[in-house]
Amino acid sequence: MNSETEYSEGLDELASHYKDILGLLGEDPEREGLIKTPMRVAKAMQVLTRGYRMDANKVLTDALFKEDYRQMVIVKDIDFFSLCEHHMLPFYGKAHVAYIPNGYITGLSKIARVVDIFSHRLQVQERMTSQIKECIENTLHPLGVMVVVEARHMCMQMRGVEKQNSVTTTSDFSGAFNQAKTRQEFMNLINSK
C-alpha cells in the first residue's frame, strides 16, 4: 500500500472518530502537532488491518504446483506484527510453518503471505495460529500441517503486569504431526541455527 488510492472506504469517517478520541483524551485536536494525526492514524489502522480485505486461500491457490514431494516443507522465522483485539496494542514475533505435501506444493512466499494476512487483523495469538494452520490444511490438503508462533505482547509489557521479557508460544498441528516423532523433527529443525 503505497498511495492513498489503495486505502479503503471509510477513511475520512475513521479519521473523524480519531479526532474525537484525541479530544476525549484531553488533547486539543487543532494543536499544530495533532492536526494531521487523525488521518495518519486512520491510514495506519487500515494498513494494520488490511488482512480483512485479503483472501488467504486464494494466495495459496495462485501458486499451486503439482509435485510428488512428501517430506516436510518448513518456512521458519516469518516476522509478523499484529494487534491484540482486547487492547488494540501490538503483539509481534515469529511464525514457523511446516506442511507435508500430498501431491501439491505452493510457492514458499505464499506461506509467509498467509501469516501476513491473518496477522493483519485484530487478533489473539491462539486464533491466529489456528487460522494459519486451517488455511493451509483446507487449501493444500497436505498430509499434515504444524504452526508454532512466538510473540511478545505490548499489552503485557506496557500495561497490566508490565513484564518486559515474557514470550508467548502457541502451536497447532494436524495429520502427520499428530505423531510425536514428526512434531519433534519439526521442533528440532526450527530451533537449529
Side-chain angles (χ1 to χ4, degrees):
M1 298 182 73
N2 295 327
S3 72
E4 289 191 28
T5 59
E6 296 183 59
Y7 294 103
S8 63
E9 289 183 35
L11 191 62
D12 290 330
E13 186 177 357
L14 198 53
S16 175
H17 287 293
Y18 280 113
K19 184 175 181 178
D20 291 342
I21 288 169
L22 287 172
L24 291 169
L25 292 174
E27 266 293 354
D28 174 8
E30 300 301 325
R31 183 166 62 79
E32 180 183 8
L34 293 177
I35 290 173
K36 294 182 180 179
T37 297
M39 183 56 74
R40 287 186 193 113
V41 176
K43 288 178 178 179
M45 289 305 290
Q46 283 199 354
V47 169
L48 294 172
T49 61
R50 69 180 179 258
Y52 289 119
R53 299 180 297 281
M54 302 170 105
D55 183 344
N57 294 323
K58 185 173 182 335
V59 164
L60 290 175
T61 58
D62 281 351
L64 196 60
F65 308 102
K66 188 159 183 54
E67 190 64 47
D68 191 30
Y69 181 80
R70 291 178 182 255
Q71 300 301 316
M72 199 178 301
V73 176
I74 300 172
V75 182
K76 70 178 194 173
D77 295 330
I78 303 167
D79 292 319
F80 76 89
F81 300 89
S82 192
L83 290 175
C84 159
E85 71 180 30
H86 300 140
H87 303 99
M88 291 179 66
L89 290 172
F91 69 95
Y92 60 94
K94 294 187 181 300
H96 314 285
V97 180
Y99 74 101
I100 300 173
N102 188 17
Y104 289 92
I105 60 171
T106 190
L108 297 175
S109 68
K110 304 310 179 188
I111 300 294
R113 291 274 315 273
V114 168
V115 172
D116 281 345
I117 289 169
F118 288 114
S119 67
H120 281 87
R121 299 177 180 184
L122 299 181
Q123 277 291 11
V124 295
Q125 182 175 334
E126 297 88 343
R127 181 187 322 115
M128 186 182 86
T129 304
S130 293
Q131 286 174 330
I132 295 165
K133 190 257 317 175
E134 290 165 6
C135 177
I136 294 167
E137 186 173 48
N138 295 335
T139 306
L140 300 181
H141 307 290
L143 298 175
V145 182
M146 185 161 179
V147 178
V148 172
V149 176
E150 302 168 301
R152 294 181 182 274
H153 292 252
M154 297 304 284
C155 58
M156 283 183 63
Q157 294 178 318
M158 294 175 66
R159 54 157 305 282
V161 297
E162 296 183 9
K163 298 302 176 206
Q164 305 308 308
N165 297 308
S166 64
V167 175
T168 301
T169 303
T170 51
S171 68
D172 198 357
F173 53 87
S174 65
F177 289 95
N178 284 312
Q179 298 174 27
K181 182 179 175 184
T182 308
R183 283 196 311 277
Q184 189 59 52
E185 178 185 351
F186 172 67
M187 296 305 291
N188 289 343
L189 288 168
I190 67 170
N191 290 319
S192 68
K193 296 296 173 199

